[in-house]
Amino acid sequence: MVLPVAQELVKRGKRIAVFALTTAISVLENSGLRYFSYEDLPQAQTEQAQSVGSRLMGNVDPNGPVSPEESRAYHGLNFLDLERQLGKEAAQARYDEMGRASFFPKTLMKEVLSALQPTAVVATNSPRTERAAIEAARDLRIPALCMVDMFALQEIAWIKHPDFADTVCVLNPAVRDMFVTSGRHPKNMVVTGNPAFDLLHAPETLSAGQDLRRKREWGSNGRCVVLFASTPEASVHPFTGVAGDPTFPQRIETQVRAILAQRTDVDLVLRRHPSEEQSVETSAFVHHSPRSDDINALLHAVDIVVVTVSTVGLQGHLAGRPVITVSGSIFDSDAPFADFGMATAVHNETELSHVLNKTIKETSSPAPFPARARQSATSNVTHEILSLLDGLAPTTGGSD
């Protein structure tokens, strides 16, 4: 969400400093934007931060999406901030119970913003560093804008407060209405769409998807192409405290493999989340989509999308693909794709087998996404940021 908006602001002559949080670093390295990360903060260079970070970070793959140095700085600074809030014993107890979900580095973000002196702060609805940045901006009287990625069914607990961000940009009218009903003033809630999805509809994305399908030889001889997009399962829900099963995504992948194992008319493409193990066992009809594959193009290279709670479910729907969601995650209520008419929900392996095989039977090769005029969510959000800077009244329109 942040990247296209930041790039558009640069085109309009604004100076941008992006705080690249963990896995975003690899994306920003090739963006041409100025950015910094936890590792770059002067606070991260202290012996105490390094020591605490080393204790908490565990084993980090040097070739993974987050470097050991970044992980050390992230854990060290966040835990020290937690100690400043709760005291040493209480901070350790909270971390032992919740892990990274206990982090909320508001004091650190006040220090960062005081040093940077930005004209405005833009962040998404992520619950830790980004939420802390917006609350720190409020305390420092810096205008702030929050971009909500999807439904915000958990995040509404804090975004609904009138003093959380000067402007909140949301996906569609249903999300806006939910916030207004919960207490936000309509003038502060703007339907802009999600900038992360703008590229999904670009002609070059469609073309790239068809090229990917052809080069990988997916769908040859009329085979249907099924994508299973995985997402990690936490051991505990960061908001509700409900215990989760981290093996859940792998169990669902195993079920999907088993259902399709005897079929030679289907290609199964496995796409794991960047933070998950990337070693995927493949075969003649089972393929791996590495994290280097553009997800927007990938969705135009497949026929059917299966997810648990991944955002790929929403993207698949927007790309015109049938979407199947497998229930059982502690995050089910946070990604109600089926409730919004975007997917078919299944609740066990038997249902999954029935619905998946039925959908395969009904699905033909993908047709190009219909060309139609769409307002750019990136342009909509950029307008709201510029309005915030200029002191103009926010719009009430935008794309849904």
Side-chain angles (χ1 to χ4, degrees), residues 27 31 66 84 96 101 161 186 206 218 241 275 309 314 329 365 383 399:
V27 177
S31 70
V66 181
R84 285 191 281 186
D96 290 343
H161 294 293
L206 172 61
W218 299 340
S275 64
V309 292
L314 172 57
S329 167
S365 295
H383 174 80
S399 169

Side-chain angles (χ1 to χ4, degrees), residues 71-389:
S71 183
R72 183 180 298 110
Y74 173 84
H75 283 88
L77 290 180
N78 273 275
F79 188 82
L80 290 175
D81 200 294
L82 191 64
E83 282 190 345
R84 285 191 281 186
Q85 297 171 42
L86 305 177
K88 287 191 175 184
E89 291 185 6
Q92 188 63 55
R94 179 75 62 85
Y95 182 80
D96 290 343
E97 176 187 1
M98 302 175 63
R100 289 182 300 168
S102 63
F103 292 158
F104 185 62
K106 182 177 174 181
T107 304
L108 175 66
M109 289 311 302
K110 287 178 74 171
E111 293 173 356
V112 171
L113 295 180
S114 295
L116 285 176
Q117 291 291 305
T119 309
V121 170
V122 178
T124 77
N125 51 292
S126 291
R128 296 193 285 274
T129 305
E130 293 182 67
R131 176 187 174 188
I134 290 179
E135 293 200 9
R138 177 195 61 207
D139 291 353
L140 297 172
R141 298 186 178 181
I142 300 170
L145 179 143
C146 177
M147 295 187 290
V148 174
D149 58 351
M150 293 197 298
F151 311 116
L153 298 178
Q154 299 295 335
E155 298 92 330
I156 192 173
W158 63 83
I159 300 177
K160 70 180 181 181
H161 294 293
D163 59 352
F164 183 85
D166 299 88
T167 302
V168 179
C169 297
V170 297
L171 181 67
N172 59 27
V175 178
R176 177 193 58 201
D177 293 346
M178 176 183 71
F179 275 106
V180 171
T181 300
S182 297
R184 289 293 313 219
H185 196 288
K187 74 175 184 178
N188 302 126
M189 302 298 307
V190 187
V191 177
T192 57
N194 183 333
F197 303 140
D198 280 349
L199 281 176
L200 184 61
H201 310 296
E204 58 269 27
T205 301
L206 172 61
S207 177
Q210 298 301 299
D211 288 346
L212 180 63
R213 183 183 178 102
R214 182 174 59 256
K215 290 176 181 177
R216 302 277 173 88
E217 298 184 346
W218 299 340
S220 299
N221 300 318
R223 292 194 302 273
C224 184
V225 183
V226 175
L227 170 67
F228 174 63
S230 179
T231 194
E233 184 79 354
S235 57
V236 61
H237 196 294
F239 305 124
T240 66
V242 173
D245 177 6
T247 69
F248 174 67
Q250 185 59 51
R251 288 193 289 109
I252 302 305
E253 178 183 311
T254 300
Q255 291 178 13
V256 174
R257 282 178 178 266
I259 291 167
L260 302 178
Q262 304 306 314
R263 300 194 65 146
T264 60
D265 60 339
V266 177
D267 282 310
L268 173 60
V269 179
L270 300 173
R271 168 77 172 218
R272 290 182 180 166
H273 189 273
S275 64
E276 291 182 300
E277 170 59 49
Q278 296 296 303
S279 298
V280 176
E281 183 180 348
T282 61
S283 63
F285 301 110
V286 178
H287 317 276
H288 176 218
S289 171
R291 56 186 176 223
S292 57
D293 284 347
D294 177 68
I295 189 63
N296 295 315
L298 179 63
L299 288 167
H300 287 292
V302 304
D303 302 311
I304 298 168
V305 177
V306 181
V307 298
T308 54
V309 292
S310 171
T311 311
V312 175
L314 172 57
Q315 292 169 280
H317 167 74
L318 294 175
R321 302 296 179 252
V323 178
I324 300 170
T325 57
V326 185
S327 301
S329 167
I330 56 175
F331 299 107
D332 281 348
S333 61
D334 304 323
F337 303 129
D339 292 345
F340 281 74
M342 299 175 177
T344 300
V346 298
H347 302 85
N348 53 54
E349 187 173 2
T350 300
E351 284 187 17
L352 175 59
S353 178
H354 171 72
V355 172
L356 181 53
N357 283 304
K358 179 175 181 289
T359 307
I360 291 170
K361 183 178 180 180
E362 296 172 346
T363 301
S364 60
S365 295
F369 193 90
R372 58 190 180 201
R374 287 178 172 269
Q375 280 188 288
S376 163
T378 299
S379 296
N380 293 337
V381 173
T382 301
H383 174 80
E384 296 306 320
I385 296 171
L386 296 176
S387 295
L388 194 63
L389 296 176

Side-chain angles (χ1 to χ4, degrees), residues 2-84:
V2 171
L3 184 60
V5 173
Q7 290 173 328
E8 181 64 23
L9 287 167
V10 169
K11 289 179 184 178
R12 300 190 185 207
K14 302 300 180 184
R15 291 190 300 160
I16 300 296
V18 181
F19 192 176
L21 301 173
T22 60
T23 55
I25 294 172
S26 60
V27 177
L28 282 157
E29 282 178 344
N30 301 314
S31 70
L33 293 171
R34 297 191 304 169
Y35 72 91
F36 63 96
S37 67
Y38 268 99
E39 182 188 354
D40 298 315
L41 297 178
Q43 294 92 331
Q45 314 311 317
T46 66
E47 182 178 347
Q48 186 180 24
Q50 292 287 309
S51 175
V52 172
S54 295
R55 176 172 65 86
L56 298 178
M57 63 185 279
N59 295 321
V60 178
D61 181 359
N63 299 315
V66 181
S67 71
E69 293 79 12
E70 183 66 21
S71 183
R72 183 180 298 110
Y74 173 84
H75 283 88
L77 290 180
N78 273 275
F79 188 82
L80 290 175
D81 200 294
L82 191 64
E83 282 190 345
R84 285 191 281 186

